[in-house]
């Protein structure tokens, strides 16, 4: 692990961070999936075939749900991950 601070000005080498009296700087490592663009409710995110074997994260406030979708062309159905509410990008 490496320790470093960022200056208030954002310039490399400029004084800042907790050591220089600029206050603490926090960083967070977040593992997850993030939308590149906004996704509307009801949009199919991926099908069972596309996410084969993928473990889905759980949440107390989910933005997606697994839904069985009928395939009219092939006469069957498959499981799909569908947005249950609007998802912001980022």
């Amino acid at each position: 692990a490496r320790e470093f601070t960022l200056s208030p000005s954002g310039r490399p080498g400029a004084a800042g961070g907790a050591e220089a009296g600029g206050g603490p700087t926090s960083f967070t490592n977040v593992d997850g999936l993030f939308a590149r663009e906004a996704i509307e409710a009801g949009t199919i995110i991926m099908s069972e075939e596309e996410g084969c074997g993928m473990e889905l994260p759980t949440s107390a406030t989910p933005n997606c749900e697994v839904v069985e979708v009928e395939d009219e062309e092939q006469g069957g159905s498959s499981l799909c991950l569908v947005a249950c509410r609007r998802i912001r990008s980022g």
Side-chain angles (χ1 to χ4, degrees):
R2 296 181 179 153
E3 294 183 29
F4 58 93
T5 59
L6 294 178
S7 67
S9 68
R11 291 178 293 129
E19 295 81 15
T25 303
S26 63
F27 293 89
T28 304
N29 290 330
V30 179
D31 291 333
L33 303 173
F34 301 93
R36 287 184 282 181
E37 56 190 48
I39 301 170
E40 297 302 320
T43 301
I44 296 175
I45 307 298
M46 70 177 155
S47 69
E48 184 176 16
E49 294 79 24
E50 295 168 327
C52 184
M54 183 176 158
E55 185 177 330
L56 298 174
T58 58
S59 171
T61 56
N63 55 15
C64 295
E65 60 188 349
V66 177
V67 176
E68 186 173 5
V69 177
E70 298 295 324
D71 186 348
E72 296 174 6
E73 292 178 14
Q74 297 187 10
S77 64
S78 65
L79 297 176
C80 294
L81 189 63
V82 177
C84 57
R85 60 182 169 87
R86 186 175 192 279
I87 302 171
R88 297 180 314 171
S89 64

